[in-house]
Amino acid sequence: MESHLEAEDVAQEFVTFLNQGTPPDIQAKAARYVLGLTGSEPGRSLLAAQKGLLQALAKLLEAPPGAAAGAVGDAWRALVNLCAEPGIHGSLLAALPGLPVQLLTWALAPNWPWAGEAAAALANLSRESGPVRELLEEGGLESTSDEANQEPSLARLVTALTTPGYNPHAPLHYLASVLSNLSQLPGARAFLLDPNRCLIQRLLPLIHCPDSAVRRMGVVGTLRNCCFEHRSHEWLLGPQVELLTFLLMPLAGPEEFSEDEMDRLPVDLQYLPPDKEREPDPDIRKMLIEAIMLLTATAPGRKLVKDQGAYLVLRELHSWEHDPNVQLACEKLIQVLIGDEPEAGMDNLLEVSVPPDVEQRLQQLDQQEQQQLQQEREEAVQTPSRLDGLGPS
């Protein structure tokens, strides 16, 4: 108890050290001390209870470029760590009201040197529903946020992600994570899926971004969330977007197909070079498969996915795949593609009502599957089997 009280007293003293006007060397040491505290859960919890210190830290974030760079950088990194702790989001937002919107403003400022850290902090903070809703309602995401910028903030976010050199001073990979978190809300998905805005089409090339797995994962997560909107499936799969080709490309390898099979694939997936590599991150591969699975939820979607040769790419992926969780997701999708059509009244699987007892049983079966996969992984590494015995119906 005494050590805890002493730590609180020290934290309160550091409010003075962080204030503007403090000698730069002392300010830098204070910021480094605060950053050290954010490296542990007890330290983050302690800081969350110090409203004055959090406000002093926020003031330091606003320092003009070039001023006390070391202290400001540590202050930003401390904020990123604080935002990574969901349990203290309430205290953090109580001390710093409007923080999500302010972080978005900084992240989208083209020349702000700490825009990358602002994006990372916002990516952590926006995992929770409260900050996401605040961004949607107060951040001007779906409407013009200020007179100087005639583009809504959500569109500006896409612009920042898709424009090379948008901010020459900071990488903005974590904006993709922010976009993925925002796309959990129906309003954000409706905005992104507006055919007149062409936002989805601008995101598609980033599926293959070689510079950052964070950016690829955020974009794929956004697209997967958008695939929950079944009314947009035919548009997404049609010639205006051609989403399936972009989802299948990272899953495709250098395998050769027969002429008949090759003709069934989209043109961009035909005759891939012998050095073609698949997406290296298994979590991203799984998300790509999940997005395609969502596109098969309706009868028109299933037909379009089948007609574009998705089974062929997934068959070869399953033969190559070494991650059990991705293998399982791949097998489930293949079964949908080669299986019989659902019975009458179940044409749209996203709208099927599942009784609570059945849902609970399905969750138990999923847990058993995961436990079995984990056990198999621990016992031995086995060569994945091909699905050559299966064929499209």
Side-chain angles (χ1 to χ4, degrees), residues 99-150:
L99 179 63
V101 176
Q102 182 60 65
L103 286 173
L104 180 64
T105 301
W106 279 325
L108 295 180
N111 292 299
W112 185 251
W114 307 107
E117 286 78 5
L122 187 56
N124 288 336
L125 195 61
S126 60
R127 292 174 186 170
E128 302 291 310
S129 60
V132 169
R133 289 196 180 92
E134 181 179 336
L135 281 172
L136 198 64
E137 294 170 2
E138 301 178 22
L141 288 175
E142 298 177 297
S143 59
T144 303
S145 55
D146 57 65
E147 294 181 0
N149 295 292
Q150 296 302 312

Side-chain angles (χ1 to χ4, degrees), residues 205-384:
L206 297 182
I207 295 176
H208 315 295
C209 174
D211 300 329
S212 171
V214 170
R215 189 177 290 235
R216 294 198 306 275
M217 182 170 290
V219 169
V220 172
T222 299
L223 295 171
R224 182 190 60 179
N225 290 343
C226 287
C227 287
F228 278 98
E229 300 297 328
H230 62 86
R231 291 177 180 83
S232 296
H233 282 184
E234 291 187 61
W235 175 71
L236 289 170
L237 290 167
Q240 287 184 292
V241 182
E242 297 184 335
L243 176 59
L244 185 62
T245 299
F246 285 90
L247 296 177
L248 287 174
M249 183 63 79
L251 302 175
E255 295 82 9
E256 296 182 0
F257 296 98
S258 67
E259 289 297 324
D260 289 342
E261 289 179 332
M262 197 71 76
D263 289 340
R264 293 171 54 195
L265 292 169
V267 173
D268 289 345
L269 291 171
Q270 296 179 8
Y271 303 103
L272 296 177
D275 59 350
K276 169 67 172 69
E277 296 182 354
R278 290 181 169 90
E279 164 59 51
D281 190 310
D283 291 331
I284 298 178
R285 293 197 301 273
K286 185 170 181 285
M287 291 169 66
L288 289 162
I289 294 171
E290 291 168 349
I292 300 172
M293 177 70 89
L294 287 168
L295 292 171
T296 66
T298 60
R302 284 190 295 278
K303 184 178 187 308
L304 288 167
V305 172
K306 291 178 181 180
D307 289 348
Q308 295 183 51
Y311 164 76
L312 301 173
V313 175
L314 293 165
R315 181 190 69 191
E316 300 303 322
L317 171 67
H318 184 272
S319 175
W320 170 90
E321 184 57 63
H322 49 273
D323 185 281
N325 292 315
V326 184
Q327 266 195 333
L328 180 60
C330 188
E331 289 167 6
K332 289 180 177 179
L333 178 53
I334 286 177
Q335 291 299 331
V336 170
L337 295 178
I338 68 175
D340 296 331
E341 280 293 297
E343 62 187 57
M346 298 185 65
D347 291 339
N348 188 340
L349 301 180
L350 289 176
E351 292 186 336
V352 173
S353 177
V354 181
D357 58 327
V358 175
E359 183 176 4
Q360 183 177 5
R361 178 57 181 158
L362 291 173
Q363 291 174 348
Q364 292 174 349
L365 290 173
D366 280 341
Q367 291 175 357
Q368 292 173 6
E369 282 183 343
Q370 294 299 324
Q371 291 171 357
Q372 183 177 353
L373 283 171
Q374 184 63 30
Q375 183 177 355
E376 291 175 355
R377 182 185 295 180
E378 293 173 354
E379 290 176 353
V381 177
Q382 299 179 355
T383 303

